[in-house]
Amino acid sequence: MGRDNPVGTADNMATYRRMLVYLRPYWKKLVIAMVLMIIVSAASGGIAFMVKPVMDDIFIAKNITMLHLLPFVIISIFFIRSLSDYGRYYLMADVGQRIIMDIRDELYAHVQNLSMPFFACTPTGIVISRITNDVSLVQASVTSAVTGLAREACTMVGLLVVVFYRDWQMALMAMVVFPVVAYPINIFGKRLKHYSTKGMKVMGDIMSILDESISNIRIVKAYNMEEYEKKRFGTENRRYFRNWMRRLSIRAVSTPLMQFIGGISTAFILWYGGMKVIDGTSTPGNFFSFMTALFMLYAPIRKFNELNIVVQEGIAAATRIFDMMDTRIEITDSPGAVELVETQGDLKYRDVCFRYGDDKYAVEDISFHVESGQQVALVGESGAGKTTIVNLLPRLFDATQGEILVDQRNIRGFTISSLRDKIAIVSQEMVLFDDSIAANIAYGLKHASTEDIIRAAKRANAHGFIMEKPDGYDTRVGEAGTRLSGGQKQRICIARAIIKDAPILILDEATSSLDTKAEREVHKAMDSLMANRTTLIIAHRLSTIVNADKIIVLKQGRIVEQGAHRDLLELDGHYASLYRLQFGK
């Protein structure tokens, strides 16, 4: 657990170099910060250097003139040091926050571009944890650590010059402690990286539990599962606490250990140097100047240990971030893909098969033709593959085998964005965003006017209840539309599809949440919406699709029947069984 192999060390260095790339746009500010740090380091060395002349030339020699000048020199040094330290701190804070912003932007943009299979396998909480918690840990390792290492290195060089200048023999004795200090610094860093990685994983699990329990709070309360969710969260929260305390214990022991090792060295040097002063081979001023520089030298050594911990935690976070950034986007534009400018909406599925990962096929040997303007319904029991089939059309997933054609051309020959522009979807999930009703209706349409929004709402039978709201179309719907009823949410989703005015329409249980009266009124609007549009309809209530041009009957991922409603009833097969099951006829 505390050992890394050479390959791991090489990986760490590669990860850290990749992190440093984010500094490039801000190199000018970084250089200015470095210069200010050199000034701070020079001032620190100057303070140690001044001890000898102050003691020997002022106090022992009793030089009153120099004593009068001394306060002004000291004040000037500390003023320059403080001003430089402020500038260094401000610049590095600015660069650090910009880097966080850049990494979050890049990571979020990549997540948005990832394909649906990624989201099917990755909990939402894990993604949120990477974008928030992990990115924050990276900041210090690429700003404070880089400049801090440079600052402490400059300080050490300045103080070492003073130490060797005052007494090179004692300096060599003092340097023996450095190899002793380096070993625990290395061990602490490796162990911190291990616990940091484990802690970020647990935080991802906590985020997932939060996302699930809060998003589904109505179900939690309806089934009296509050205590269960509290226990589940508490278990993970305590795991995070225990891991954090292990990290804290390593951090806590590292500094005292460095101080103890430094104390042993200091005690010996103090005895040895004191003997030289008593023997007359060194002056008190020279000795105290040496000791002042030596004492000040242990501070950057201790800081190196702290910065190493920061770097190791940053590498652990960056490894997880880059893993997500390097996740391959599975569904992309094919080479030579062209824009789908116009379409007649002629659809053809030819020997289409699909499976999720290494699972068995969800749908297999799917072949059917939807002529331009036709309404085709997909029916079957839950899990028969209806939603999977329609998800393949806008390339939310790609078919494992076979091909899907639009106007006799494989959909992979079109750019994804232009293909999806020609498809409107109303799903049973009723996805709304915590924004105004108007913004939800116009979602995905950049230049929708107020008149367009109202017209779409009227066609979806939504205008009436919207105007009853205190803020009308500016009413916020709440997270996932919690301030609206199920039927109201569904009609907002229908209005969103209406305003898009796409030639291909997918209705996945689009009226499932409407009461009988609202459903009847919305069906009138849907009839006008579907006119002259190619429409794929997923329906469990067979009464809603009896007038479809074609009904495709699915069972266990395969097409078992297809035809018009009356023909399928006469066939007295699977569709007829489903129909009798629903209507008792």
Side-chain angles (χ1 to χ4, degrees):
M1 186 160 53
R3 299 181 180 180
D4 284 355
N5 55 39
V7 176
T9 304
D11 289 344
N12 288 345
M13 291 303 298
T15 300
Y16 197 63
R17 283 194 296 269
R18 186 172 175 182
M19 290 161 61
L20 295 180
V21 170
Y22 290 94
L23 288 172
R24 286 179 182 172
Y26 313 110
W27 68 270
K28 292 181 181 178
K29 290 183 179 181
L30 201 62
V31 168
I32 295 172
M34 292 284 193
V35 171
L36 293 175
M37 280 189 292
I38 291 173
I39 295 173
V40 172
S41 302
S44 300
I47 292 169
F49 188 80
M50 284 178 58
V51 173
K52 180 183 183 302
V54 167
M55 290 196 67
D56 291 343
D57 301 337
I58 297 179
F59 295 134
I60 294 177
K62 299 181 180 179
N63 188 329
I64 192 69
T65 303
M66 294 298 294
L67 181 61
H68 289 322
L69 292 175
L70 181 62
F72 296 101
V73 174
I74 293 174
I75 290 172
S76 298
I77 291 175
F78 274 94
F79 175 76
I80 294 171
R81 187 179 185 276
S82 300
L83 194 64
S84 300
D85 207 25
Y86 164 76
R88 184 271 317 169
Y89 180 86
Y90 181 84
L91 286 172
M92 292 319 302
D94 178 83
V95 171
Q97 289 303 313
R98 290 179 185 275
I99 287 173
I100 281 184
M101 180 176 64
D102 292 344
I103 294 176
R104 280 203 178 118
D105 281 346
E106 183 178 341
L107 181 57
Y108 183 73
H110 182 72
V111 167
Q112 285 292 318
N113 290 331
L114 287 173
S115 310
M116 286 301 297
F118 169 82
F119 297 100
C121 300
T122 308
T124 303
I126 298 295
V127 178
I128 294 173
S129 179
R130 300 276 174 96
I131 296 174
T132 54
N133 186 54
D134 293 9
V135 172
S136 296
L137 289 173
V138 169
Q139 177 206 353
S141 63
V142 293
T143 54
S144 303
V146 172
T147 54
L149 290 170
R151 181 185 68 240
E152 304 309 330
C154 291
T155 302
M156 286 181 66
V157 169
L159 293 171
L160 283 170
V161 169
V162 176
V163 167
F164 276 91
Y165 180 76
R166 292 303 181 202
D167 195 321
W168 65 270
Q169 291 176 324
M170 283 200 301
L172 288 175
M173 293 179 183
M175 294 307 105
V176 173
V177 76
F178 281 97
V180 179
V181 169
Y183 179 74
I185 287 177
N186 183 48
I187 295 299
F188 291 150
K190 290 178 179 178
R191 292 182 68 84
L192 255 297
K193 180 173 178 288
H194 168 77
Y195 286 122
S196 182
T197 301
K198 187 176 179 180
M200 286 182 283
K201 181 183 182 301
V202 176
M203 177 54 68
D205 295 337
I206 290 175
M207 290 282 192
S208 295
I209 292 173
L210 284 172
D211 177 64
E212 288 178 354
S213 60
I214 295 175
S215 299
N216 302 309
I217 190 65
R218 285 187 293 181
I219 299 299
V220 172
K221 290 185 174 298
Y223 283 84
N224 291 320
M225 292 298 286
E226 293 94 338
E227 293 303 318
Y228 170 78
E229 292 299 336
K230 290 175 189 176
K231 184 177 180 180
R232 195 160 68 110
F233 178 83
T235 299
E236 294 302 317
N237 199 25
R238 279 156 184 74
R239 279 183 62 205
Y240 185 77
F241 167 77
R242 289 192 295 269
N243 187 77
W244 179 264
M245 290 308 298
R246 291 189 184 102
R247 291 169 60 189
L248 193 64
S249 65
I250 294 173
R251 280 178 170 270
V253 77
S254 61
T255 298
L257 183 59
M258 297 298 104
Q259 291 174 341
F260 178 70
I261 294 173
I264 294 174
S265 175
T266 301
F268 176 76
I269 296 298
L270 189 63
W271 171 81
Y272 181 77
M275 291 296 295
K276 293 183 70 173
V277 173
I278 292 173
D279 291 343
T281 55
S282 179
T283 67
N286 190 73
F287 174 67
F288 280 105
S289 177
F290 176 90
M291 290 303 299
T292 301
L294 188 63
F295 275 124
M296 295 177 71
L297 191 59
Y298 286 128
I301 295 173
R302 186 175 66 252
K303 196 68 177 177
F304 264 116
N305 174 58
E306 296 172 2
L307 291 173
N308 179 58
I309 289 172
V310 170
V311 169
Q312 293 300 328
E313 289 182 335
I315 289 174
T319 300
R320 289 161 54 85
I321 291 169
F322 293 146
D323 281 346
M324 186 167 285
M325 283 188 180
D326 294 338
T327 300
R328 186 172 62 89
I329 301 174
E330 297 182 28
I331 301 175
T332 58
D333 288 335
S334 303
V338 299
E339 296 286 321
L340 179 57
V341 180
E342 292 184 2
T343 176
Q344 300 299 315
D346 185 87
L347 307 178
K348 186 174 291 185
Y349 281 66
R350 183 181 293 166
D351 301 323
V352 171
C353 300
F354 176 78
R355 62 183 173 192
Y356 297 93
D358 296 328
D359 294 341
K360 67 177 184 178
Y361 282 110
V363 294
E364 195 169 359
D365 298 328
I366 302 298
S367 296
F368 62 88
H369 182 205
V370 184
E371 296 179 13
S372 177
Q374 276 193 330
Q375 299 173 21
V376 173
L378 303 174
V379 301
E381 296 95 338
S382 295
K386 303 182 296 295
T387 301
T388 299
I389 289 173
V390 298
N391 281 343
L392 296 175
L393 179 59
R395 295 190 67 192
L396 299 179
F397 297 89
D398 268 342
T400 308
Q401 295 177 25
E403 58 181 357
I404 302 172
L405 309 176
V406 172
D407 296 343
Q408 307 303 316
R409 285 198 61 178
N410 193 315
I411 57 174
R412 299 196 188 199
F414 302 116
T415 61
I416 295 172
S417 60
S418 66
L419 173 66
R420 292 174 182 171
D421 277 342
K422 301 299 182 289
I423 302 171
I425 300 176
V426 181
S427 72
Q428 58 184 331
E429 294 173 354
M430 299 181 293
V431 177
L432 295 181
F433 299 90
D434 188 10
D435 206 333
S436 67
I437 290 176
N440 273 283
I441 292 175
Y443 189 78
L445 208 62
K446 298 177 182 177
H447 306 295
S449 66
T450 302
E451 292 75 17
D452 293 334
I453 293 170
I454 293 173
R455 191 180 304 115
K458 286 181 177 179
R459 293 181 62 187
N461 193 35
H463 180 73
F465 82 78
I466 292 173
M467 295 309 297
E468 293 174 358
K469 301 289 182 183
D471 297 319
Y473 282 85
D474 293 325
T475 301
R476 295 189 72 89
V477 303
E479 185 178 358
T482 51
R483 297 178 185 175
L484 302 177
S485 69
Q488 290 172 341
K489 287 191 286 187
Q490 193 68 291
R491 280 175 277 176
I492 296 296
C493 294
I494 291 170
R496 180 193 297 158
I498 290 172
I499 200 172
K500 188 174 183 180
D501 197 26
I504 301 173
L505 186 62
I506 295 174
L507 304 177
D508 187 352
E509 285 295 308
T511 60
S512 61
S513 297
L514 303 180
D515 56 44
T516 304
K517 180 182 177 183
E519 182 181 356
R520 190 181 304 116
E521 293 175 354
V522 169
H523 266 300
K524 296 176 184 177
M526 298 298 290
D527 288 340
S528 65
L529 170 64
M530 292 187 290
N532 300 317
R533 284 183 173 81
T534 304
T535 308
L536 290 177
I537 308 168
I538 295 177
H540 289 290
R541 283 185 282 183
L542 302 184
S543 60
T544 62
I545 48 92
V546 293
N547 295 321
D549 296 296
K550 184 188 297 183
I551 298 172
I552 296 173
V553 186
L554 294 156
K555 185 177 182 180
Q556 296 180 352
R558 290 177 175 270
I559 295 176
V560 292
E561 296 168 0
Q562 55 180 308
H565 169 70
R566 186 175 298 277
D567 295 335
L568 291 175
L569 286 181
E570 291 177 357
L571 187 62
D572 197 23
H574 191 64
Y575 179 80
S577 297
L578 292 174
Y579 191 82
R580 283 194 295 269
L581 196 63
Q582 286 194 18
F583 298 99
K585 298 179 182 178

